[in-house]
Amino acid sequence: LIIRVLGSAAGGGVPQWNCNYRISRKARQGRGEVRPRLQSSIAAQGANGHGWVLFNASPDIRQQINETAALQPDAGAELRSSPIAAVVLTNADVDHLAGLLSLRERQAFQLYATNRVLAVLEANPIFRVLDPAHVRRIALPMEEDVALEGPAGPLGITIRLYPVPGKVALFMETGDAAADFEADGGDTVGVRIDGGDGVVHYVPGCARVDDALRDRVRGAAALLFDGTVFTDAEMAEAGVGVKTGRRMGHVPITGDGGSVEAFEGLDLKQKIYIHINNTNPILEEGSQERRRVTDAGWGVAEDGMELTV
Ligand code: MLT
Ligand code: MN
């Protein structure tokens, strides 16, 4: 199983177009203090080498494909061709859906998501640009192993979705907390990705680390986990917003219930923060906060990073 990080930033990316905070400024300066990062997505290829699966379709997908030779048409392939055989969505956030609109050129692939996320696509007619004659939408059950297929057959990757604490997509919020937050779970999912020789968990959004999640990831080859904010109040403290991390559906890295502590002692071979917001000081290469997470055994995802398990 090969996992390639296409976008390690949260929605907005690093730098974010309208952000003048220190971290976006450093990313624009290009002196290596903060590496630029695209928005949230990974790609996976099974051991049989038959095509790639994208987990989430980032608004930056066009650039991600242009920067990744393995995702481009093979020199010997047909005039219209793509190694991208399937797309799996973990929620309906803009940073995970918008890239679908850039895959509308009548190319066959399978689109996998929960019924909840597929309903968002149905309700927004702009997604009809993905012609059902080419793009099959497949409902994924929760808590069941599913062998992924592309238009040409099995991809050698089995996934299992599981609900994690979270909320509906920001643009779907109604203001009714009972309906917006963990109403009956399943608005946001984690994915267990099994390529036969090892298991990787991909959880780019998660509001709380509970015992069920800890038990589930125990012993995995890698955990790619929600690194949106370092502290819960970070956005307000940076002066760029009012919401806490948890209010946005993202557990902070540190503080009470923070993810560094919550995932200690679980025999995880690799722990990597991904979906990192442009206010998070772990993005600053020399920062104390970066050192805090690396000392605790975590890596910080970068675009182009590859894991082989
Ligand atoms: C999130 O991860 O909280 C969302 O991507 C926010 C957004 O939709 O901008
Ligand atoms: Mn997001």
Side-chain angles (χ1 to χ4, degrees), residues 10-11 40 93 95-96 250 275:
S40 193
D93 280 341
D95 56 350
H96 291 162
H250 300 293
H275 190 280

Side-chain angles (χ1 to χ4, degrees), residues 8-32:
S8 50
V14 183
Q16 176 177 312
W17 71 285
N18 65 342
C19 187
N20 213 10
Y21 183 57
R22 177 183 90 233
I23 292 177
S24 283
R25 294 194 67 82
K26 286 185 180 175
R28 287 187 197 104
Q29 280 160 4
R31 290 202 293 256

Side-chain angles (χ1 to χ4, degrees), residues 176-195:
D176 172 3
D180 293 342
F181 289 86
E182 299 182 44
D184 46 7
D187 285 306
T188 291
V189 299
V191 195
R192 179 183 189 278
I193 307 170
D194 187 346

Side-chain angles (χ1 to χ4, degrees), residues 26 32 59 95 137 159 194 199 220 233 255 277 285 302:
K26 286 185 180 175
D95 56 350
R137 297 183 186 185
I159 65 166
D194 187 346
V199 165
N277 194 48
E285 301 285 332
E302 289 175 4

Side-chain angles (χ1 to χ4, degrees), residues 99-116:
L100 292 174
L101 302 176
S102 299
L103 299 179
R104 65 187 178 283
E105 281 85 11
R106 303 171 63 78
Q107 184 66 43
F109 63 91
Q110 321 270 55
L111 178 55
Y112 290 94
T114 60
N115 274 323
R116 190 95 51 114

